[in-house]
Amino acid sequence: MDLDPGSKEPLLQQQHQSTHQQGNTQSRSSHYASRSSQQQESDQYATTRLDTLASYGQLVTPLTFDDAPDVSQHETRPQRGAQTNEAGPSSSTSLPHPQIQGRRPQISITDPVKHTEKSLVPGVSGSYVTYTVISRMTLPKYSSRGASVRRRFRDFVALAELLKVTHRGYFIPPRPEKNPVEGQRASDEFVEVRRIALEKYIIQLAMHPAIAQSDELHVFLEADSPLGSNLQWQQLQPMHGSILEGVARLPKQLFGQDPAAPSPTEAATNTKHTSDLLRRFKELTVKEPKDPGALDQPEIDLRNEKLVVDEFLEKVAAASRKAERLVSKFEQLGSVIGDLGLSAIKLAKFEDTDGSRCGAYTDSSMASKAISADSKRVGMAAVRVSRLSRTATSSTALALAPLHDNLALAPAASKALKEREAALLTLHAIEADLEKRRHTIVAIEEEGQKVFGGDKAKLRKTDNLKNEVAGLEAAVQAAGQEYDRVKLRNTQEVSRWKESRIQDFDGMLDNFAKIMAAYEDRSLSVWLEVAEQFGVTRQDAARLTST
């Protein structure tokens, strides 16, 4: 509550201080009796309204007050101390709804349907949920009429895993997490929460400039048949190798029965997605160059960006926690103010009942009615402000959403930057292997020159090594191209994310400031209206609000 600069006490407290200091009932009765006749007409509407409301929940849900804010619009912020419209509360400043930056694709996920499927265990059945994915994309490769397909959660997982392999270096938005608890997966509340999360995830993918044009997203959004049996989807699947395949292949590689050189396709793939265990071991032994001059400037810049992303992750995580705390405290504030309003209303009803026992025209009865009217005013104002607080809380949570979105994207950005380092490591490992093979060939040829007529065994070994060198040279070329491709993607994504963060945070801060300003102005108008009914002049009100 604003304080009087002179006395440092609340103005309403000063106004009633003499009344509270009087110790006898007669003076209290005459004071309120004199005010009762002046307030009777203005209180009649509030009294009739309150009689129909029995609880705080009824007071705030649904919206019933004329001055309840509409968060879908935002009017110009009024000047403090300006003359208010005769319509009073209905001409209030609305709380603004956060604006979404950029154009959103027309994608929605609706109609969750539960299905039952047989389990491998006899007598046990499982369940899963499918969703209708409705999309209309403006890119040329998509159908102009839009598409509607049904997908289950594991299809979204398959899409995310596929994009990880085919779009190395891009900052791919993270998908919603799995839920290992079967009982929670079956609940309607969980299904709805997951539906919202999946819709947001697909929209984020569709807003990514590279992923939106990908065949992976195109097939996911428009293929009619289930993805598991769709030919186009199967053709998009990259080469994957299992650990068992790698274990079976390793002895043959060590004894020369299986080419140790990776194919160009394998060289362009992250080692963890292949079955080549020997290559994994070799990459573990490759050491990063200690001399910074061994790396080009773009690589050094991107490694510095990795440090910046890690620091940003730490900062945005702290800011996200503070934002959650702010929203929680704001919600508690609205609840406490609402409880206070309900208590004041109950007090008013008590004074009405107590006054009726004293006789209709006695001083005590008139005083009770005046107290009741004052309590109702304050109670109604508190409930109205509580409703404003609830609306401001939900609007604030939406406005601060970019903090959470960027917090979720930061680890994905860090992984994408690590992918470039992994691609460079693969390139260095294959180059080291190639250099080793070349040195071996030179050494064998020098030894063969010392034998008259040549050593046929060494000649055969040299030929085999030359074949391996040719394969390694092709692998080096493929690995180098993949590294350059991932590095270019990293560079583009770092720049794009910086621009996106600037837009997100600018919009977030602007919306947050507007919400707080509208909430403060609207709350102030509610309490000033009550204060004027208690006799505070506009000059006093202007003096208070200007401090």
Side-chain angles (χ1 to χ4, degrees), residues 13 39 46 60 65 93 141 164 194 225 314 335 350 369 375 421 468:
Q13 180 179 339
Q39 298 169 348
V60 297
F65 297 104
T93 301
K141 72 187 308 177
K164 268 192 215 176
R194 172 170 279 183
S225 59
E314 179 183 351
S335 178
F350 170 79
K369 289 181 179 180
S375 298
E421 296 179 9
E468 292 184 9

Side-chain angles (χ1 to χ4, degrees), residues 191-497:
V191 170
E192 176 61 16
V193 170
R194 172 170 279 183
R195 183 197 67 77
I196 295 173
L198 291 175
E199 182 176 277
K200 181 178 180 180
Y201 169 64
I202 291 297
I203 290 175
Q204 288 177 334
L205 292 182
M207 292 180 69
H208 192 286
I211 298 176
Q213 310 225 22
S214 68
D215 293 333
E216 292 82 359
L217 186 62
H218 177 217
V219 174
F220 181 89
L221 291 177
E222 297 194 351
D224 292 332
S225 59
L227 292 184
S229 59
N230 184 271
L231 180 59
Q232 288 179 289
W233 182 257
Q234 296 302 322
Q235 291 174 342
L236 293 173
Q237 300 306 307
M239 176 193 65
H240 277 291
S242 66
I243 294 295
L244 293 178
E245 292 176 354
V247 172
R249 182 182 177 188
L250 182 59
K252 297 180 181 180
Q253 290 177 316
L254 293 176
F255 290 104
Q257 299 174 358
D258 192 333
S263 66
T265 302
E266 290 178 325
T269 306
N270 193 312
T271 309
K272 64 183 180 182
H273 297 306
T274 69
S275 61
D276 194 344
L277 295 182
L278 182 60
R279 176 182 158 194
R280 296 190 189 187
F281 296 149
K282 289 179 179 179
E283 290 188 5
L284 289 175
T285 60
V286 175
K287 297 181 179 180
E288 290 288 337
K290 296 181 179 180
D291 182 14
L295 302 174
D296 58 14
Q297 190 59 43
E299 176 65 26
I300 295 175
D301 292 341
L302 287 172
R303 296 200 174 200
N304 291 333
E305 286 295 338
K306 171 67 168 54
L307 299 177
V308 172
V309 169
D310 293 340
E311 184 179 2
F312 171 76
L313 177 59
E314 179 183 351
K315 302 298 184 184
V316 76
S320 181
R321 289 193 297 269
K322 298 298 183 181
E324 290 179 3
R325 186 177 178 185
L326 169 66
V327 172
S328 176
K329 294 296 184 182
F330 211 164
E331 185 177 14
Q332 293 175 15
L333 173 64
S335 178
V336 170
I337 293 176
D339 290 340
L340 174 62
L342 180 59
S343 298
I345 293 169
K346 290 180 178 179
L347 177 62
K349 291 183 178 181
F350 170 79
E351 289 291 345
D352 278 337
T353 303
D354 184 60
S356 64
R357 290 199 299 265
C358 299
Y361 301 103
T362 63
D363 289 344
S364 295
S365 175
M366 300 295 287
S368 294
K369 289 181 179 180
I371 295 175
S372 175
D374 289 346
S375 298
K376 287 173 184 176
R377 283 197 192 90
V378 174
M380 285 293 293
V383 170
R384 287 156 57 185
V385 172
S386 173
R387 181 56 183 170
L388 285 169
S389 298
R390 284 187 55 186
T391 308
T393 299
S394 60
S395 297
T396 300
L398 290 174
L400 297 177
L403 284 175
H404 180 75
D405 293 342
N406 282 275
L407 174 62
L409 187 59
S414 181
K415 290 179 181 179
L417 293 171
K418 288 180 180 178
E419 281 291 333
R420 186 201 70 265
E421 296 179 9
L424 181 59
L425 186 64
T426 296
L427 176 60
H428 287 167
I430 299 176
E431 286 177 338
D433 202 11
L434 174 61
E435 191 66 22
K436 182 179 178 181
R437 294 288 194 281
R438 286 172 174 170
H439 283 304
T440 302
I441 291 174
V442 171
I444 291 176
E445 289 178 343
E446 289 178 353
E447 288 292 328
Q449 291 176 357
K450 298 178 182 179
V451 179
F452 180 76
D455 190 331
K456 294 183 179 180
K458 290 184 178 181
L459 288 176
R460 286 195 299 270
K461 186 174 182 180
T462 300
D463 290 339
N464 291 335
L465 287 174
K466 287 181 178 180
N467 290 332
E468 292 184 9
V469 165
L472 287 171
E473 288 175 343
V476 166
Q477 183 178 6
Q481 291 174 348
E482 177 68 7
Y483 165 70
D484 291 338
R485 182 162 47 246
V486 175
K487 182 169 68 173
L488 177 60
R489 291 173 178 176
N490 276 181
T491 303
Q492 294 172 341
E493 287 289 88
V494 166
S495 176
R496 184 183 67 85
W497 191 31

